[in-house]
């Protein structure tokens, strides 16, 4: 039995002339997420992954939409509480809270 593939998530980038990018998101990177292991009193180790500071999105057409010697544009960087809903759902499905 085949399962339906999820719809691609459109790239949120808008060019200076107002044209929307026709690509879709192919990668999401979490920046400044804190990963740690703590030993419990019973001797078992527990893994924790704290919510990242921000997310960077990458497009099928133009990667991060950054130019030569230019930073990633604001359209491709999100604070956890600003993450677009389809990406928030994908991140939540991993068990990591945005």
């Amino acid at each position: 039995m085949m399962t339906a593939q999820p719809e691609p998530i459109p790239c949120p980038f808008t060019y200076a002339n107002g044209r929307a990018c026709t690509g879709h998101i192919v990668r999401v990177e979490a920046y400044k997420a804190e990963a740690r292991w703590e030993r419990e009193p019973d001797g078992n180790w527990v893994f924790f992954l704290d919510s990242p500071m921000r997310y960077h999105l990458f497009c099928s057409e133009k990667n991060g939409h950054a130019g030569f010697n230019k930073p990633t544009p604001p359209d491709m960087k999100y604070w956890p509480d600003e993450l677009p809903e389809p990406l928030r759902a994908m991140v939540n499905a991993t068990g990591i809270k945005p």
Side-chain angles (χ1 to χ4, degrees), residues 9 28 30 49-52 55 79-98:
I9 299 169
V28 178
L49 183 61
D50 294 336
S51 182
Y55 294 94
W79 298 106
D81 61 339
E82 297 172 342
L83 205 57
E85 187 51 42
L87 292 170
R88 181 183 304 275
M90 181 274 301
V91 169
N92 285 341
T94 66
I96 300 168
K97 303 224 184 303

Side-chain angles (χ1 to χ4, degrees), residues 11-30:
C11 177
F13 184 79
T14 302
Y15 292 95
N17 66 3
R19 182 175 62 90
C21 177
T22 58
H24 60 274
I25 299 303
V26 294
R27 188 170 87 227
V28 178
E29 290 184 359

Side-chain angles (χ1 to χ4, degrees), residues 46-85:
V46 179
F47 175 73
F48 294 92
L49 183 61
D50 294 336
S51 182
M53 178 70 87
R54 68 175 181 245
Y55 294 94
H56 284 208
L57 310 182
F58 294 86
C59 173
S60 61
E61 301 292 321
K62 296 284 187 175
N63 201 14
H65 282 279
F68 176 73
N69 208 16
K70 292 185 180 178
T72 301
D75 292 3
M76 302 302 282
K77 296 190 290 190
Y78 288 87
W79 298 106
D81 61 339
E82 297 172 342
L83 205 57
E85 187 51 42

